[in-house]
PDB file of all heavy atoms in Angstrom:
ATOM      1  N   PHE A 161     173.307  42.742-118.491  1.00  0.00           N
ATOM      2  CA  PHE A 161     174.091  43.953-118.900  1.00  0.00           C
ATOM      3  C   PHE A 161     173.720  45.193-118.119  1.00  0.00           C
ATOM      4  O   PHE A 161     172.503  45.501-118.093  1.00  0.00           O
ATOM      5  CB  PHE A 161     174.006  44.184-120.391  1.00  0.00           C
ATOM      6  CG  PHE A 161     174.507  43.089-121.236  1.00  0.00           C
ATOM      7  CD1 PHE A 161     173.646  42.000-121.534  1.00  0.00           C
ATOM      8  CD2 PHE A 161     175.824  42.950-121.706  1.00  0.00           C
ATOM      9  CE1 PHE A 161     174.113  40.967-122.286  1.00  0.00           C
ATOM     10  CE2 PHE A 161     176.237  41.943-122.478  1.00  0.00           C
ATOM     11  CZ  PHE A 161     175.382  40.851-122.734  1.00  0.00           C
ATOM     12  N   HIS A 162     174.605  45.821-117.463  1.00  0.00           N
ATOM     13  CA  HIS A 162     174.285  47.022-116.724  1.00  0.00           C
ATOM     14  C   HIS A 162     174.830  48.267-117.532  1.00  0.00           C
ATOM     15  O   HIS A 162     175.989  48.398-117.791  1.00  0.00           O
ATOM     16  CB  HIS A 162     174.957  47.021-115.371  1.00  0.00           C
ATOM     17  CG  HIS A 162     174.339  45.991-114.381  1.00  0.00           C
ATOM     18  ND1 HIS A 162     173.209  46.217-113.776  1.00  0.00           N
ATOM     19  CD2 HIS A 162     174.793  44.796-114.048  1.00  0.00           C
ATOM     20  CE1 HIS A 162     172.952  45.150-113.038  1.00  0.00           C
ATOM     21  NE2 HIS A 162     173.880  44.272-113.217  1.00  0.00           N
ATOM     22  N   GLY A 163     173.916  49.128-117.926  1.00  0.00           N
ATOM     23  CA  GLY A 163     174.295  50.449-118.442  1.00  0.00           C
ATOM     24  C   GLY A 163     174.597  51.389-117.409  1.00  0.00           C
ATOM     25  O   GLY A 163     174.864  50.977-116.306  1.00  0.00           O
ATOM     26  N   PRO A 164     174.552  52.623-117.682  1.00  0.00           N
ATOM     27  CA  PRO A 164     174.856  53.673-116.683  1.00  0.00           C
ATOM     28  C   PRO A 164     173.854  53.761-115.568  1.00  0.00           C
ATOM     29  O   PRO A 164     172.663  53.426-115.838  1.00  0.00           O
ATOM     30  CB  PRO A 164     174.871  54.972-117.540  1.00  0.00           C
ATOM     31  CG  PRO A 164     174.102  54.738-118.742  1.00  0.00           C
ATOM     32  CD  PRO A 164     174.248  53.194-119.020  1.00  0.00           C
ATOM     33  N   HIS A 165     174.259  54.043-114.398  1.00  0.00           N
ATOM     34  CA  HIS A 165     173.328  54.163-113.322  1.00  0.00           C
ATOM     35  C   HIS A 165     173.823  55.188-112.321  1.00  0.00           C
ATOM     36  O   HIS A 165     175.008  55.515-112.327  1.00  0.00           O
ATOM     37  CB  HIS A 165     173.121  52.777-112.637  1.00  0.00           C
ATOM     38  CG  HIS A 165     174.344  52.213-112.126  1.00  0.00           C
ATOM     39  ND1 HIS A 165     174.994  52.419-110.876  1.00  0.00           N
ATOM     40  CD2 HIS A 165     175.271  51.350-112.732  1.00  0.00           C
ATOM     41  CE1 HIS A 165     176.107  51.848-110.731  1.00  0.00           C
ATOM     42  NE2 HIS A 165     176.325  51.129-111.897  1.00  0.00           N
ATOM     43  N   HIS A 166     172.962  55.845-111.537  1.00  0.00           N
ATOM     44  CA  HIS A 166     173.395  56.862-110.620  1.00  0.00           C
ATOM     45  C   HIS A 166     172.279  57.054-109.559  1.00  0.00           C
ATOM     46  O   HIS A 166     171.074  56.959-109.882  1.00  0.00           O
ATOM     47  CB  HIS A 166     173.631  58.195-111.310  1.00  0.00           C
ATOM     48  CG  HIS A 166     174.601  59.035-110.519  1.00  0.00           C
ATOM     49  ND1 HIS A 166     174.135  59.886-109.626  1.00  0.00           N
ATOM     50  CD2 HIS A 166     175.963  59.193-110.630  1.00  0.00           C
ATOM     51  CE1 HIS A 166     175.188  60.573-109.019  1.00  0.00           C
ATOM     52  NE2 HIS A 166     176.260  60.151-109.690  1.00  0.00           N
ATOM     53  N   TYR A 167     172.703  57.491-108.339  1.00  0.00           N
ATOM     54  CA  TYR A 167     171.812  57.840-107.248  1.00  0.00           C
ATOM     55  C   TYR A 167     171.097  59.214-107.588  1.00  0.00           C
ATOM     56  O   TYR A 167     171.694  59.992-108.148  1.00  0.00           O
ATOM     57  CB  TYR A 167     172.564  57.986-105.973  1.00  0.00           C
ATOM     58  CG  TYR A 167     171.846  58.612-104.787  1.00  0.00           C
ATOM     59  CD1 TYR A 167     170.934  57.813-104.130  1.00  0.00           C
ATOM     60  CD2 TYR A 167     171.984  59.938-104.506  1.00  0.00           C
ATOM     61  CE1 TYR A 167     170.223  58.397-103.080  1.00  0.00           C
ATOM     62  CE2 TYR A 167     171.349  60.488-103.401  1.00  0.00           C
ATOM     63  CZ  TYR A 167     170.398  59.737-102.757  1.00  0.00           C
ATOM     64  OH  TYR A 167     169.766  60.289-101.679  1.00  0.00           O
ATOM     65  N   ILE A 168     169.849  59.185-107.228  1.00  0.00           N
ATOM     66  CA  ILE A 168     169.026  60.459-107.508  1.00  0.00           C
ATOM     67  C   ILE A 168     168.551  60.980-106.205  1.00  0.00           C
ATOM     68  O   ILE A 168     167.688  60.380-105.472  1.00  0.00           O
ATOM     69  CB  ILE A 168     167.818  60.186-108.491  1.00  0.00           C
ATOM     70  CG1 ILE A 168     168.292  59.452-109.727  1.00  0.00           C
ATOM     71  CG2 ILE A 168     167.099  61.407-108.787  1.00  0.00           C
ATOM     72  CD1 ILE A 168     169.315  60.300-110.587  1.00  0.00           C
ATOM     73  N   SER A 169     169.019  62.137-105.879  1.00  0.00           N
ATOM     74  CA  SER A 169     168.656  62.846-104.587  1.00  0.00           C
ATOM     75  C   SER A 169     167.272  63.495-104.780  1.00  0.00           C
ATOM     76  O   SER A 169     166.972  64.130-105.786  1.00  0.00           O
ATOM     77  CB  SER A 169     169.645  63.814-104.144  1.00  0.00           C
ATOM     78  OG  SER A 169     169.200  64.625-103.081  1.00  0.00           O
ATOM     79  N   PRO A 170     166.422  63.546-103.772  1.00  0.00           N
ATOM     80  CA  PRO A 170     165.187  64.291-103.716  1.00  0.00           C
ATOM     81  C   PRO A 170     165.489  65.831-103.986  1.00  0.00           C
ATOM     82  O   PRO A 170     164.601  66.539-104.460  1.00  0.00           O
ATOM     83  CB  PRO A 170     164.566  64.084-102.418  1.00  0.00           C
ATOM     84  CG  PRO A 170     165.141  62.762-101.891  1.00  0.00           C
ATOM     85  CD  PRO A 170     166.534  62.755-102.486  1.00  0.00           C
ATOM     86  N   ASN A 171     166.693  66.265-103.627  1.00  0.00           N
ATOM     87  CA  ASN A 171     167.018  67.684-103.825  1.00  0.00           C
ATOM     88  C   ASN A 171     167.166  68.102-105.298  1.00  0.00           C
ATOM     89  O   ASN A 171     167.078  69.277-105.592  1.00  0.00           O
ATOM     90  CB  ASN A 171     168.319  67.995-103.146  1.00  0.00           C
ATOM     91  CG  ASN A 171     168.286  67.918-101.674  1.00  0.00           C
ATOM     92  OD1 ASN A 171     167.299  68.161-101.105  1.00  0.00           O
ATOM     93  ND2 ASN A 171     169.397  67.509-101.076  1.00  0.00           N
ATOM     94  N   HIS A 172     167.100  67.089-106.206  1.00  0.00           N
ATOM     95  CA  HIS A 172     167.066  67.456-107.632  1.00  0.00           C
ATOM     96  C   HIS A 172     165.671  67.741-108.163  1.00  0.00           C
ATOM     97  O   HIS A 172     165.531  68.243-109.272  1.00  0.00           O
ATOM     98  CB  HIS A 172     167.597  66.235-108.470  1.00  0.00           C
ATOM     99  CG  HIS A 172     168.991  65.829-108.099  1.00  0.00           C
ATOM    100  ND1 HIS A 172     169.836  66.606-107.501  1.00  0.00           N
ATOM    101  CD2 HIS A 172     169.641  64.657-108.236  1.00  0.00           C
ATOM    102  CE1 HIS A 172     171.062  65.993-107.280  1.00  0.00           C
ATOM    103  NE2 HIS A 172     170.962  64.731-107.711  1.00  0.00           N
ATOM    104  N   TYR A 173     164.646  67.522-107.350  1.00  0.00           N
ATOM    105  CA  TYR A 173     163.205  67.794-107.836  1.00  0.00           C
ATOM    106  C   TYR A 173     162.881  69.110-107.330  1.00  0.00           C
ATOM    107  O   TYR A 173     162.755  69.423-106.215  1.00  0.00           O
ATOM    108  CB  TYR A 173     162.348  66.778-107.155  1.00  0.00           C
ATOM    109  CG  TYR A 173     162.628  65.267-107.502  1.00  0.00           C
ATOM    110  CD1 TYR A 173     162.280  64.314-106.546  1.00  0.00           C
ATOM    111  CD2 TYR A 173     163.165  64.857-108.692  1.00  0.00           C
ATOM    112  CE1 TYR A 173     162.458  62.921-106.822  1.00  0.00           C
ATOM    113  CE2 TYR A 173     163.419  63.535-108.974  1.00  0.00           C
ATOM    114  CZ  TYR A 173     163.118  62.626-107.990  1.00  0.00           C
ATOM    115  OH  TYR A 173     163.364  61.258-108.243  1.00  0.00           O
ATOM    116  N   PRO A 174     162.436  69.951-108.295  1.00  0.00           N
ATOM    117  CA  PRO A 174     161.889  71.287-107.962  1.00  0.00           C
ATOM    118  C   PRO A 174     160.637  71.209-107.091  1.00  0.00           C
ATOM    119  O   PRO A 174     160.335  71.959-106.169  1.00  0.00           O
ATOM    120  CB  PRO A 174     161.567  71.987-109.306  1.00  0.00           C
ATOM    121  CG  PRO A 174     162.564  71.350-110.248  1.00  0.00           C
ATOM    122  CD  PRO A 174     162.635  69.896-109.734  1.00  0.00           C
ATOM    123  N   THR A 175     159.825  70.102-107.345  1.00  0.00           N
ATOM    124  CA  THR A 175     158.522  69.947-106.574  1.00  0.00           C
ATOM    125  C   THR A 175     158.878  69.651-105.119  1.00  0.00           C
ATOM    126  O   THR A 175     157.965  69.911-104.279  1.00  0.00           O
ATOM    127  CB  THR A 175     157.702  68.867-107.169  1.00  0.00           C
ATOM    128  OG1 THR A 175     158.443  67.590-107.072  1.00  0.00           O
ATOM    129  CG2 THR A 175     157.408  69.111-108.538  1.00  0.00           C
ATOM    130  N   LYS A 176     160.124  69.192-104.734  1.00  0.00           N
ATOM    131  CA  LYS A 176     160.368  68.966-103.335  1.00  0.00           C
ATOM    132  C   LYS A 176     160.321  70.233-102.494  1.00  0.00           C
ATOM    133  O   LYS A 176     159.907  70.206-101.371  1.00  0.00           O
ATOM    134  CB  LYS A 176     161.728  68.226-103.293  1.00  0.00           C
ATOM    135  CG  LYS A 176     162.229  67.989-101.893  1.00  0.00           C
ATOM    136  CD  LYS A 176     163.349  68.878-101.494  1.00  0.00           C
ATOM    137  CE  LYS A 176     163.964  68.532-100.080  1.00  0.00           C
ATOM    138  NZ  LYS A 176     165.005  69.546 -99.697  1.00  0.00           N
ATOM    139  N   LYS A 177     160.631  71.353-103.144  1.00  0.00           N
ATOM    140  CA  LYS A 177     160.603  72.678-102.466  1.00  0.00           C
ATOM    141  C   LYS A 177     159.180  73.062-102.221  1.00  0.00           C
ATOM    142  O   LYS A 177     158.997  73.832-101.298  1.00  0.00           O
ATOM    143  CB  LYS A 177     161.382  73.663-103.284  1.00  0.00           C
ATOM    144  CG  LYS A 177     162.872  73.248-103.450  1.00  0.00           C
ATOM    145  CD  LYS A 177     163.544  74.377-104.349  1.00  0.00           C
ATOM    146  CE  LYS A 177     164.943  73.979-104.664  1.00  0.00           C
ATOM    147  NZ  LYS A 177     165.646  74.941-105.558  1.00  0.00           N
ATOM    148  N   GLU A 178     158.258  72.517-102.966  1.00  0.00           N
ATOM    149  CA  GLU A 178     156.903  72.933-102.901  1.00  0.00           C
ATOM    150  C   GLU A 178     156.138  72.221-101.777  1.00  0.00           C
ATOM    151  O   GLU A 178     155.398  72.813-100.974  1.00  0.00           O
ATOM    152  CB  GLU A 178     156.117  72.792-104.173  1.00  0.00           C
ATOM    153  CG  GLU A 178     156.728  73.569-105.396  1.00  0.00           C
ATOM    154  CD  GLU A 178     156.115  73.173-106.644  1.00  0.00           C
ATOM    155  OE1 GLU A 178     155.186  72.461-106.679  1.00  0.00           O
ATOM    156  OE2 GLU A 178     156.649  73.543-107.757  1.00  0.00           O
ATOM    157  N   HIS A 179     156.341  70.823-101.690  1.00  0.00           N
ATOM    158  CA  HIS A 179     155.503  70.126-100.738  1.00  0.00           C
ATOM    159  C   HIS A 179     156.368  69.094 -99.974  1.00  0.00           C
ATOM    160  O   HIS A 179     155.839  68.494 -99.103  1.00  0.00           O
ATOM    161  CB  HIS A 179     154.362  69.423-101.445  1.00  0.00           C
ATOM    162  CG  HIS A 179     154.843  68.668-102.771  1.00  0.00           C
ATOM    163  ND1 HIS A 179     155.677  67.670-102.721  1.00  0.00           N
ATOM    164  CD2 HIS A 179     154.492  68.936-103.986  1.00  0.00           C
ATOM    165  CE1 HIS A 179     155.751  67.226-103.973  1.00  0.00           C
ATOM    166  NE2 HIS A 179     155.091  67.944-104.758  1.00  0.00           N
ATOM    167  N   GLY A 180     157.634  68.876-100.308  1.00  0.00           N
ATOM    168  CA  GLY A 180     158.481  67.988 -99.601  1.00  0.00           C
ATOM    169  C   GLY A 180     158.172  66.521 -99.737  1.00  0.00           C
ATOM    170  O   GLY A 180     158.911  65.627 -99.195  1.00  0.00           O
TER     171      GLY A 180
END
Side-chain angles (χ1 to χ4, degrees):
F161 298 86
H162 291 283
H165 56 89
H166 204 276
Y167 171 76
I168 306 300
S169 170
N171 291 326
H172 301 336
Y173 301 149
T175 60
K176 177 250 185 185
K177 299 175 183 178
E178 300 171 10
H179 48 64

